[in-house]
Amino acid sequence: MTISLHNRRSWAAATATTLALASLAALAGTATPASASGRATTAGPATAATATALAPESAAAPKPASPAASASPASGDPAVPSALTLPRPTGPYATGRDTLFLTDHERTDPWVPAAGARRLLVSLHYPARPGSGGDPAPYMPEEEARLMLAQRGLDDPEWPGLVAATRTSSRTDARPAPGRFPLVLLSPGFGTPRATLTGLAEELASRGYVVATADHPYESTGTELPDGRVLTCAACDEVDAQPDDAGRRKVLAAVSTGRAADFSFLLTRLTGPRPAWRHARTIDARRVGMAGHSIGGNAAASTMAADRRVDAGVNLDGTFFDPVPARGLDRRPFLMLGTDPGHAPGAGDTSWDEGWARLDGFKRWLTVRDSGHFTFTDTPAIGEQLGIVDPDAPLSAARSTAITRAYVTAFFDRSLRGRPARPAARLAIMH
């Protein structure tokens, strides 16, 4: 991935209403989302399963900067933001956030056996009573931010503090809203902290979901434990140590199946007879979904294959290193949301074509033009505020956020709440 530095403001954003209609239409299979012309085209039986999601008109989209720049903006430059913020969630609920540190005493850590039992750090976002709670929940520890940025070749000394202090919309110690809500499990990409899915977690919580996002120790650039120790990516070292691609793929398949075990344990600790979370009564254990980015998306399928309690899954641009089982997923619904051309049908990652053929329930495969691997995370929103542009993924942060929210929310609303998708014959793109 080539990264250049360029300060610009995002102004090409579709309205939430238009995107919601687009996502519902695509999920219904009655129309493909709007093309660059702003029209929706009717999908016939052979094409209803795939769609290309809302890309900006080429004439309206801001042009990426040249990749020649290699230095960050100078300290004190007025273009450098004094604070970063995540996009505000759009749902009717305020959101709260708790953090759990759990230990699975029945499993040894697969990457560092000497560390003992497998541990998980979990962020829980939930619908909250308005006006309750304390300060905004912190985004991530500064050392986690430093290690994540360093891995991506971004070493400006001011940025770890800025990224760590990114302002969120969730409040600590907020009182839960009344009622019981579906549960969505979230798994981040390989080598990526769980914080990078905060924007999606907050959006889902504001829409009436409890969301549990897990850090898998030794699978991230940095995971800070409650005692201040920081665990780095031993699993990354294991991948790098493999002599060939087959060996690397085998290790990554083990990452996905290991995460399935993590989430089965987490699901029991949230919904079992002695739940670990103080607000566990707000979870409706009969309605559980899972989504993940990159290897986390593969883990959504692996978890569904291993645990019948998960009712629906979403893969956000992740290769199926652990293949979808030949028997399918017991007719449970699954959404594949990927980049174009990387994860378009027949585009090169044959695991998606093979996985698609094996999925045996309601399924949709959507690709997003002008997107990149991190489009479905917080990276575009934070990167734009820092003046970072990936010229290979010119989709703006506003549209990246809106598309991800619209499609994932519409899918879980349909799959976990039974809300029917409404067809839309014609969709407008507003810039």
Side-chain angles (χ1 to χ4, degrees), residues 15-21 23-24 88-96 125-128 177 180-184 199-211 287 401-402 404-410 412-413 416-417 419 422:
T15 64
T17 300
T18 297
L19 278 167
L21 289 171
S23 59
L24 289 168
R88 293 188 62 82
T90 64
Y93 290 99
T95 59
H125 290 85
Y126 55 94
R180 301 183 71 201
F181 305 97
L183 173 66
V184 174
L200 178 57
E202 289 190 331
E203 176 68 13
L204 287 166
S206 81
R207 295 282 178 178
Y209 293 88
V210 174
V211 185
R287 298 182 290 172
T401 298
T404 305
R405 288 174 167 182
Y407 285 104
V408 173
T409 302
F412 282 130
D413 280 350
L416 301 181
R417 287 181 158 142
R419 294 180 179 174
R422 295 172 295 171

Side-chain angles (χ1 to χ4, degrees), residues 18 24 38 55 58 65 73 80 126 131 144 192 200 208 251 257 262 286 349 366 395 404 416-417:
T18 297
L24 289 168
S58 58
V80 178
Y126 55 94
E144 286 190 11
T192 307
L200 178 57
V251 174
T257 56
D262 288 344
R286 299 168 301 174
D349 185 349
L366 307 176
L395 193 67
T404 305
L416 301 181
R417 287 181 158 142

Side-chain angles (χ1 to χ4, degrees), residues 26 29-30 32 43-51 335-336 345 356 363-367:
T30 58
T32 58
T47 61
T50 63
L335 169 65
M336 295 156 54
W356 173 258
K363 58 184 178 179
R364 289 295 181 267
W365 180 344
L366 307 176
T367 58

Side-chain angles (χ1 to χ4, degrees), residues 55-347:
E57 295 187 45
S58 58
K63 300 298 183 183
S66 165
S70 60
S72 60
S75 299
D77 188 320
V80 178
S82 59
L84 308 179
T85 60
L86 291 181
R88 293 188 62 82
T90 64
Y93 290 99
T95 59
R97 199 199 76 184
D98 275 349
T99 303
L100 291 180
F101 181 51
L102 302 175
T103 302
D104 184 355
H105 294 286
E106 296 184 3
R107 297 172 59 217
T108 300
D109 190 277
W111 309 114
V112 183
R118 180 67 161 170
R119 293 164 291 181
L120 294 180
L121 269 167
V122 182
S123 294
L124 283 151
H125 290 85
Y126 55 94
R129 295 178 184 268
S132 68
D135 294 330
Y139 185 63
M140 69 164 62
E142 186 167 343
E143 182 62 9
E144 286 190 11
R146 186 190 70 77
L147 290 167
M148 179 184 70
L149 291 167
Q151 189 274 336
R152 300 181 187 186
L154 303 172
D155 56 1
D156 186 295
E158 293 185 2
W159 284 3
L162 279 171
V163 171
T166 298
R167 188 175 179 88
T168 69
S169 295
S170 300
R171 298 277 174 173
T172 58
D173 296 319
R175 289 184 296 152
R180 301 183 71 201
F181 305 97
L183 173 66
V184 174
L185 310 171
L186 290 183
S187 187
F190 187 57
T192 307
R194 73 187 189 280
T196 55
L197 293 177
T198 298
L200 178 57
E202 289 190 331
E203 176 68 13
L204 287 166
S206 81
R207 295 282 178 178
Y209 293 88
V210 174
V211 185
T213 313
D215 252 338
H216 308 270
Y218 302 111
E219 296 175 21
S220 171
T221 50
T223 302
E224 184 171 300
L225 302 182
D227 63 8
R229 287 181 296 152
V230 177
L231 310 180
T232 55
C233 194
C236 299
D237 297 337
E238 184 70 18
V239 172
D240 292 341
Q242 300 306 306
D244 53 28
D245 185 62
R248 289 186 288 271
R249 294 181 70 88
K250 184 177 180 179
V251 174
L252 289 168
V255 171
S256 187
T257 56
R259 290 190 179 193
D262 288 344
F263 278 107
S264 287
F265 164 72
L266 174 59
L267 190 51
T268 297
R269 297 297 287 123
L270 291 177
T271 64
R274 293 190 299 275
W277 184 39
R278 57 179 174 166
H279 301 313
R281 67 184 182 280
T282 64
I283 295 173
D284 183 351
R286 299 168 301 174
R287 298 182 290 172
V288 179
M290 182 170 170
H293 170 243
S294 195
I295 196 73
N298 188 182
S302 296
T303 304
M304 291 178 70
D307 196 323
R308 192 62 184 81
R309 292 176 294 177
V310 181
D311 302 301
V314 179
N315 182 347
L316 301 173
D317 209 50
T319 294
F320 291 101
F321 294 105
D322 177 39
V324 175
R327 60 175 172 79
L329 294 175
D330 300 318
R331 303 188 64 81
R332 285 169 289 172
F334 202 88
L335 169 65
M336 295 156 54
L337 182 61
T339 56
D340 183 27
H343 277 132

